[in-house]
Amino acid sequence: MLNSSAARTLSLMAAKPQRFANFAEIVGAAAKKPRTMATNVADSDQNTTKNAFSNYATYLNNLNDKRERVVKASRDITMNSKKVIFQVHRISKHNKEEVLQKAENDLAAVMDQYIARLVKELGGTDFWKLRRAYSPGIQEYVEAATLCSFCKTGALLNLDEINASLRTLGDPSNEPLQINVLDYLLGLADLTGELMRMAMTRISDGELEFAEKICRFVREIYRDLRLVAPKMDDSSDMKQKMEVMLQSVMKIENACFSVHVRGSEYIPFLGSEDTSFSMLGVPEIE
């Protein structure tokens, strides 16, 4: 038989596993609880991230769809503005009023149908973000509008006048689409090429005075843009256009100079039946 002290020692040794088991359960429960909280927080952060990237994807998809529609509107503006330019080139001293009236009507149709659609697409948005998408069409429209204005008034249609006509197309509550200076100047640079072609046609029709007027006008544009082009932010396109513009100026000057110096030799090319006619007003030298 065991004595009392030995029995008490054995009883304590038998109770220790139970106490250790209770302690393990407590520690395990305490350890599991933080892991559950961390898991909930991680799931919440993951859902927030997914929602954020889902919103980004929706925004980018909508922006790309809008860009495609803007590019399509820009192509339509370019195509129909070219038609206006071709119409203006049919002008002559016999049908000037008729041709210009039709060209102005076609230009108004471009404004009401195609530019109005572009304004609707860009209304209420940061339209400057999509400038690259619609810039070619706007440049072509500026070229057509300034060409019509010059043939009618002999003056340059400025940027404020063009932008004033755009304010009536959009929703008054939204920021109106405004043509920026860069697109206007690029369109103006293209105008000089069309004026060069018109000057050649006018010389062949015997309208030397009008050709000289075109020459002075194109020379002034080139002189002014030569001062502005180096300071432009995106001057790569303008640099190329300036080289083409200089060639146009030289072609017009050479043609006018040749007619003045050798005017009588140009008679067969002017469609005149009077061989005594001279562009200089001097009788032909025999």
Side-chain angles (χ1 to χ4, degrees):
M1 297 295 292
L2 297 173
N3 56 24
S4 60
S5 62
R8 187 168 55 252
T9 302
L10 291 175
S11 63
L12 290 173
M13 294 176 64
K16 283 182 179 179
Q18 182 66 29
R19 289 201 300 271
F20 288 148
N22 293 337
F23 178 76
E25 291 177 358
I26 294 172
V27 172
K32 289 180 181 179
K33 190 172 182 181
R35 285 201 297 269
T36 303
M37 293 176 62
T39 303
N40 293 335
V41 172
D43 291 341
S44 177
D45 292 342
Q46 187 176 8
N47 292 333
T48 302
T49 303
K50 287 182 178 180
N51 292 334
F53 276 92
S54 178
N55 294 333
Y56 298 154
T58 301
Y59 171 79
L60 292 176
N61 289 333
N62 292 335
L63 184 63
N64 289 333
D65 293 340
K66 181 183 288 291
R67 180 180 288 105
E68 291 299 322
R69 294 193 298 269
V70 169
V71 169
K72 177 62 169 60
S74 177
R75 283 198 292 262
D76 292 338
I77 295 172
T78 300
M79 180 179 63
N80 289 277
S81 296
K82 285 184 180 294
K83 292 181 179 179
V84 175
I85 294 173
F86 296 153
Q87 176 67 28
V88 175
H89 278 297
R90 298 189 181 98
I91 194 173
S92 68
K93 55 186 176 183
H94 304 294
N95 63 356
K96 179 178 179 180
E97 297 296 332
E98 178 184 354
V99 171
L100 283 180
Q101 184 62 44
K102 188 177 187 309
E104 289 178 348
N105 293 338
D106 293 343
L107 190 65
V110 174
M111 171 73 74
D112 296 336
Q113 297 179 21
Y114 303 104
I115 295 185
R117 192 175 71 192
L118 177 64
V119 171
K120 183 178 179 181
E121 286 291 344
L122 298 174
T125 63
D126 296 329
F127 52 82
W128 53 268
K129 293 181 180 179
L130 299 174
R131 176 188 165 268
R132 287 288 185 182
Y134 65 81
S135 178
I138 293 298
Q139 293 178 33
E140 199 70 28
Y141 175 78
V142 169
E143 182 180 355
T146 51
L147 181 62
C148 287
S149 176
F150 173 77
C151 292
K152 183 177 181 179
T153 65
L156 178 64
L157 184 67
N158 60 47
L159 180 59
D160 292 337
E161 292 173 329
I162 298 178
N163 282 333
S165 62
L166 296 178
R167 295 190 182 97
T168 61
L169 298 178
D171 187 353
S173 61
N174 295 329
E175 183 180 2
L177 173 66
Q178 297 289 276
I179 299 174
N180 61 26
V181 177
L182 179 59
D183 288 335
Y184 175 76
L185 294 180
L186 291 173
L188 198 61
D190 292 333
L191 169 67
T192 59
E194 300 301 333
L195 290 175
M196 182 271 294
R197 298 181 184 92
M198 180 173 290
M200 298 297 106
T201 305
R202 299 283 67 80
I203 291 175
S204 65
D205 289 343
E207 298 182 59
L208 181 60
E209 183 178 352
F210 188 59
E212 291 176 343
K213 181 179 179 181
I214 293 176
C215 183
R216 291 190 296 269
F217 184 72
V218 173
R219 190 187 295 130
E220 290 176 0
I221 293 177
Y222 176 75
R223 183 182 63 243
D224 294 340
L225 289 183
R226 188 175 58 182
L227 302 175
V228 176
K231 300 180 181 179
M232 297 173 63
D233 294 335
D234 187 7
S235 61
S236 58
D237 292 339
M238 179 58 74
K239 181 178 179 181
Q240 182 179 1
K241 290 178 184 293
M242 290 297 293
E243 296 175 356
V244 177
M245 193 187 310
L246 177 59
Q247 296 176 4
S248 298
V249 173
M250 294 176 63
K251 287 179 181 178
I252 302 174
E253 289 178 342
N254 290 337
C256 294
F257 177 77
S258 298
V259 172
H260 272 292
V261 174
R262 303 162 59 186
S264 60
E265 298 179 11
Y266 277 75
I267 297 302
F269 302 100
L270 298 177
S272 175
E273 299 295 336
D274 185 5
T275 58
S276 64
F277 174 79
S278 172
M279 296 297 293
L280 294 173
V282 179
E284 183 179 0
I285 301 176
E286 298 181 356

